[in-house]
Amino acid sequence: MRIVVLTGAGISAESGLTTFRDSGGLWEGHDPMQVATPEAYADDPGLVQHFYDARRAALSQVEPNAAHHALVRLEDALGDDLLVVTQNVDDLHERAGSRRVHHIHGRLRSAWCTRCDERHDWQGPLADGPACPSCGASGLRPDIVWFGEIPYGMDLVEQALDACDLFVSIGTSGVVYPAAAFVHWARGATLELNLEPSAGATDFAESRRGPATHLVPAWVEELLA
Ligand code: BV8
């Protein structure tokens, strides 16, 4: 069975990473148009860099949870028949052991040079304008897809959704496109695992409610039984 799993901030919530739209979420403290658009970066790069430096630093305070680990067990069983497509910019899937993970909205622990277009794994801050390891210029921006920018690897995602037997959406509110449209692009069966109904809940053949650390291990055990 070929499965595509889409994850959102909800799968990392129980690891201690704030989601965007839930109460006390990231977008309560920050206007996304002020910190997550190329225009915002042009207007006030310092504000944007500090926003992402803080989130990058927070990654060392958290660990993958039972939902991330359950998807690793599923990958061990399905191999290349499983693809995890994540909207998340954290690295908890990889730190749990997932190998086939595609970040459509980029990664916090990566810096992108706006001068030489090279990308570099990056752990520390960017606000102090460090030199690019390739070209030496101080033009490094967060390797994040902002609103108005094209998500990464959409061809790969479209092909996987067109060929899948099952599409599963975990921990996402379904309000940001094109990710929110994947349920319509998926050829196979569709299942949503979420704490609350997402904006596209009625588009799924089946929806289960609850925390990811309960729903995902139970679903994986059921599938592998
Ligand atoms: C593009 C990186 C062209 C940054 C992000 C008008 C109509 C339709 C679309 C548009 C429009 N105007 C503009 C657009 C396009 C825009 C868009 O969709 N805007 C929205 C706001 C209307 N999209 C874009 O600009 C995209 N680019 O369209 O380019 C194109 C199109 C097609 C093909 C090629 C090119 C680029 C969007 C990417 C922006 N960057 N992230 C950063 O991280 O700072 S988006 C960001 O928000 C996330 O990555 C994610 O994608 C999105 C939503 O977040 P979620 O992950 O869903 O988190 P949220 O907090 O919202 O929800 C959490 C959910 O989890 C909830 O449902 C909750 O119930 C659940 N939950 C909570 N705890 C748990 C849980 N579930 C289980 N267990 C728990 N414990």
Side-chain angles (χ1 to χ4, degrees), residues 37-129:
T37 64
E39 295 76 17
Y41 184 64
D43 294 353
D44 188 344
L47 174 75
V48 172
Q49 293 280 30
H50 281 109
F51 173 66
Y52 287 101
D53 283 356
R55 292 172 63 193
R56 192 175 306 107
L59 286 182
S60 53
Q61 313 303 317
V62 299
E63 294 298 329
N65 62 51
H68 298 105
H69 290 296
L71 292 178
V72 175
R73 289 196 295 281
L74 186 59
E75 185 182 289
D76 294 342
L78 296 182
D80 292 356
D81 282 347
L82 174 69
L83 176 66
V84 174
V85 175
T86 188
Q87 300 167 85
N88 299 344
V89 294
D90 67 55
D91 59 352
L92 296 181
H93 283 300
E94 289 88 348
R95 282 162 55 189
S98 285
R99 291 180 299 280
R100 287 173 51 78
V101 180
H102 177 63
H103 290 259
I104 58 172
H105 294 162
R107 297 180 300 123
L108 277 169
R109 285 183 162 167
S110 177
W112 177 20
C113 181
T114 54
R115 304 295 169 70
C116 72
D117 200 30
E118 286 297 317
R119 285 174 167 80
H120 302 278
D121 286 344
W122 204 270
Q123 310 302 324
L126 288 173
D128 50 2

Side-chain angles (χ1 to χ4, degrees), residues 8-11 13-14 19-22 27 36 51-52 55 87-89 105 144-151 154 171-179 185 193-198 210-213:
I11 198 171
E14 295 162 88
T19 64
F20 293 88
R21 287 170 181 74
D22 297 314
W27 293 155
F51 173 66
Y52 287 101
R55 292 172 63 193
Q87 300 167 85
N88 299 344
V89 294
H105 294 162
I144 301 280
V145 175
W146 288 324
F147 290 96
E149 295 186 320
I150 309 252
M154 289 307 296
T172 184
S173 56
V175 296
V176 171
Y177 290 77
W185 302 1
L193 305 176
N194 221 51
L195 197 60
E196 300 137 351
S198 74
T213 57

Side-chain angles (χ1 to χ4, degrees), residues 169 172-174 180 183-184 190-194 196-209:
S169 177
T172 184
S173 56
V183 64
H184 303 300
T190 56
L191 168 65
E192 177 178 84
L193 305 176
N194 221 51
E196 300 137 351
S198 74
T202 53
D203 300 323
F204 287 82
E206 182 187 355
S207 290
R208 301 180 188 176
R209 299 278 156 266

Side-chain angles (χ1 to χ4, degrees), residues 133-155:
S134 299
C135 72
S138 66
L140 294 172
R141 63 160 267 185
D143 184 13
I144 301 280
V145 175
W146 288 324
F147 290 96
E149 295 186 320
I150 309 252
Y152 294 154
M154 289 307 296
D155 302 348

